[in-house]
Amino acid sequence: MHEHPLQRFFKSLRERPVFAWERYQMRDVLVIDHPLCQAVFSRQGAQLLHFQPTGQKPWLWCAAKWPHVGAIRGGVPVCWPWFGRHPSENAWPSHGWARLLDWKLLDSSTDDDGVRLHWQLQLCDWTVDLHAHLGERMDLRLSTEHQDSLPCQLSQALHAYWRIGDVSEIALSGLDGAQGYDQLSRQVCQQEGELRVDGGCQRVFQHDGELQLKDHAWQRELCIDTGDDADTVVWHPGSRPLLGVSWNEVLEFVCVEAASGGTDSLSLAPGERAHLSLQARVGA
């Protein structure tokens, strides 16, 4: 098992403030040290890169090496204002601009329940806000307001990389009977029983409520909720190589994501808002 690369910030015995900015791999990162949890955000993308409730193993995976420029692989990238490839502009980056740009941290606070943060990005006629509540649980909420005079299209995702002991020893339950689409076989599918992803998976499910990520190697169960209005995306590359990621690292994550508008983009009227959420807790 590889140590999460961002746990290095918490090895010192000296007392830390709850919020502290650091520089790491040419990025500004906000290190959070609260009695209930430890976490790290990148200013680029408002990306939660590390989250670990006190006394537990890390919940999120992050690549050990980051590119000098471009997207950071791991944590919870905000894919916005499109998810996947842009529908018409092939030269534009996959998963949109949000994970490549610096966001503003408008507010951060702490209380007995954990920490709360409010990040914001303004781009042309769009404003997108990310609210995070971290403590014994993880709660991320994305809100987009469209301020143009004409309707426009939106797709988005909270693309979470969950840290696991070994991808061959996990199972996802709670999807039994869910209708979906298998993007590898390009076929409609229906889940039967538990879903195992060893060997590769790229499926989009129409699913409400929690699902359970059962990690037998770590003897842990994470309950993940992608909300009522979003699709649930389950992804793992299998044996396909990922640029800048070692094979051993690939075995240590699985993506379970909240996504909306991926198949048919959402159409937002002027002044209309779109919402997306991702929540997680430890199972009983």
Side-chain angles (χ1 to χ4, degrees):
M1 181 186 76
H2 293 79
E3 182 180 76
H4 193 293
L6 295 171
Q7 285 179 299
R8 63 194 302 259
F9 289 115
F10 305 102
K11 287 186 173 182
S12 173
L13 297 178
R14 66 182 175 87
E15 186 175 346
R16 299 183 58 96
V18 175
F19 302 103
W21 286 101
E22 302 278 359
R23 190 74 176 167
Y24 182 70
Q25 295 204 44
M26 303 178 68
R27 308 306 203 286
D28 292 329
V29 295
L30 181 64
V31 179
I32 300 168
D33 197 352
H34 184 275
L36 291 183
C37 67
Q38 296 173 336
V40 178
F41 272 93
S42 169
R43 190 193 304 274
Q44 178 184 314
Q47 190 165 333
L48 179 59
L49 297 170
H50 173 58
F51 175 62
Q52 184 172 4
T54 301
Q56 299 184 33
K57 290 182 170 65
W59 285 22
L60 298 174
W61 174 90
C62 184
K65 295 182 179 179
W66 305 350
H68 293 313
V69 294
I72 302 169
R73 187 179 292 278
V76 189
V78 177
C79 302
W80 178 96
W82 63 87
F83 176 45
R85 294 182 179 179
H86 190 276
S88 60
E89 301 290 341
N90 292 332
W92 287 8
S94 293
H95 300 316
W97 303 111
R99 64 180 187 154
L100 303 174
L101 300 174
D102 285 353
W103 291 49
K104 290 182 179 180
L105 180 60
L106 297 185
D107 187 49
S108 60
S109 62
T110 177
D111 56 32
D112 292 342
D113 292 330
V115 297
R116 299 175 189 270
L117 300 99
H118 177 192
W119 297 88
Q120 187 178 83
L121 177 67
Q122 293 184 316
L123 185 64
C124 300
D125 296 308
W126 300 82
T127 300
V128 58
D129 295 273
L130 178 69
H131 292 270
H133 182 198
L134 307 174
E136 294 178 341
R137 302 185 179 199
M138 187 185 91
D139 186 349
L140 301 177
R141 298 179 185 272
L142 196 68
S143 177
T144 300
E145 184 175 3
H146 168 226
Q147 300 161 327
D148 199 354
S149 58
L150 297 172
C152 62
Q153 303 303 113
L154 170 73
S155 62
Q156 56 187 343
L158 292 168
H159 186 347
Y161 290 73
W162 301 99
R163 182 74 161 84
I164 54 177
D166 189 318
V167 72
S168 66
E169 297 186 49
I170 65 161
L172 290 166
S173 62
L175 290 168
D176 189 30
Q179 301 288 328
Y181 184 77
D182 188 326
Q183 295 180 327
L184 296 181
S185 65
R186 298 183 180 181
Q187 293 181 342
V188 174
C189 63
Q190 178 173 319
Q191 183 59 35
E192 297 181 1
E194 292 184 330
L195 173 61
R196 298 183 180 273
V197 303
D198 189 23
C201 180
Q202 191 170 352
R203 297 183 185 177
V204 182
F205 291 100
Q206 298 169 355
H207 167 74
D208 294 337
E210 285 187 335
L211 58 85
Q212 293 75 43
L213 172 55
K214 298 178 179 180
D215 186 340
H216 299 294
W218 277 8
Q219 298 183 335
R220 178 173 75 181
E221 179 178 291
L222 289 179
C223 298
I224 302 168
D225 192 339
T226 57
D228 297 334
D229 300 320
D231 291 332
T232 299
V233 180
V234 180
W235 176 75
H236 189 269
S239 60
R240 291 171 293 162
L242 292 179
L243 184 65
V245 180
S246 71
W247 170 243
N248 288 335
E249 288 182 282
V250 170
L251 300 177
E252 296 175 344
F253 76 78
V254 64
C255 289
V256 181
E257 317 162 28
S260 61
T263 306
D264 298 309
S265 295
L266 303 172
S267 179
L268 292 188
E272 188 177 3
R273 281 187 172 270
H275 302 277
L276 192 66
S277 67
L278 180 68
Q279 298 172 292
R281 63 181 180 86
V282 170

